[in-house]
Structure formats: structure tokens, C-alpha cells
Amino acid sequence: MTATHPTGARTAKREWAVGLMVFGAVMLMIAGILDVLRGIAAIAEDDVFLTTRNYVFEFDLTSWGWIHLALGVAAVIVSMGLFQGATWARVAGVGIAALVIIANFLSLPYYPVWSVVMIAMSGFIIWALCTVRKDDAWVPFEQPPSSP
């Protein structure tokens, strides 16, 4: 005797899981591209950034530029892995988003409003990548179930 399971609920769960993975991948790619642009602007010592005195975490603007540039490039690479549905990319995506949160928190005095926006965006990325269960995740090139 074989048990049959309704495929509708499984398909709906899978669609939500795929949607959250794609959302996380797109948001991580956008955050990465914006971080690359922010890093380039900081390396070029653009006048966009505010310099404050007497801040607890005082760093050179050029070093912050290199940090943001490296995090942005890593985020773009990891987001490409997320589009393939790789488990390593989910783990790395959460780690990169957490590092982006920390870097933006520490760079609050240089660009305060944008840092808060990036912190919120990274929080959504972590949420999207952590809510998908492994058994619901999308597997690329998955074979459709065969009919008896």
C-alpha cells in the first residue's frame, strides 16, 4: 500500500521558499553593488561623506572604502551562488550580510542615513535566507515527478 501526498501544499511551500531565496539573492546583489559604489566613492575621498570628530570608532575614510569594496564584491559573488540554490551561498550570504551590518554600524558617522538603510536591507537579507528550510529549498534542474 502506498500513501499519496497532496502535491498542492508541497508546491506552495516550495514556491514560497524559492521566492524568499530569490528575494534574498536580489537584495544581496543590490546591497553588494551599492557597497561597491560606496567603497569606490570612499577610496576616491569623495565629498559625499561627512567627517566627524570625537567619535568612538575613528577610522580613515580610505580604509573604510576598501572594507566596503571587499564586502560588496563578496556579496555580489555570493548572490550569484544563491541564484544557483547553493547551500554554501545561503550560509555565506548570512555571514556577509552580518558583516555588512557591522561595517555600516561602524561607519555611521561618515554617512548616517545610508548606513541605517543598509543595516535594514541586510536585516531583510538575513531573514530571507534563514527562513527557508533545506527540504523546501529549490534545487536547480530538478526532475519533475514521474507519473505511474
Side-chain angles (χ1 to χ4, degrees), residues 1-10 146 148:
M1 178 175 207
T2 60
T4 59
H5 299 286
T7 59
R10 179 78 173 158
S146 58

Side-chain angles (χ1 to χ4, degrees), residues 21-33 71-86 88-90 92-94 96 125 129 138:
M21 283 280 275
V22 171
F23 173 77
V26 169
M27 292 293 284
L28 190 62
M29 183 168 282
I30 290 171
I33 291 170
L71 283 175
V73 169
V76 169
I77 291 170
V78 168
S79 69
M80 289 179 194
L82 284 171
F83 283 121
Q84 298 298 319
W88 67 265
R90 287 179 57 198
V94 171
I96 293 293
I125 292 167
L129 296 180
W138 175 64

Side-chain angles (χ1 to χ4, degrees), residues 20-145:
L20 283 175
M21 283 280 275
V22 171
F23 173 77
V26 169
M27 292 293 284
L28 190 62
M29 183 168 282
I30 290 171
I33 291 170
L34 293 174
D35 229 11
V36 165
L37 295 176
R38 181 179 181 179
I40 291 170
I43 291 169
E45 295 183 10
D46 200 359
D47 294 333
V48 173
F49 296 97
L50 173 71
T51 55
T52 59
R53 290 185 288 164
N54 300 328
Y55 187 67
V56 176
F57 306 109
E58 189 173 333
F59 296 102
D60 182 33
L61 186 59
T62 305
S63 63
W64 273 122
W66 284 108
I67 290 170
H68 284 286
L69 182 67
L71 283 175
V73 169
V76 169
I77 291 170
V78 168
S79 69
M80 289 179 194
L82 284 171
F83 283 121
Q84 298 298 319
T87 304
W88 67 265
R90 287 179 57 198
V91 174
V94 171
I96 293 293
L99 289 174
V100 168
I101 288 175
I102 293 169
N104 281 291
F105 175 75
L106 293 175
S107 66
L108 271 169
Y110 300 109
Y111 211 42
V113 176
W114 188 248
S115 293
V116 171
V117 169
M118 290 298 288
I119 289 170
M121 186 182 287
S122 298
F124 281 122
I125 292 167
I126 291 173
W127 170 78
L129 296 180
C130 288
T131 56
V132 179
R133 290 191 209 129
K134 185 177 181 180
D135 56 341
D136 291 334
W138 175 64
V139 179
F141 307 113
E142 182 177 354
Q143 298 295 327

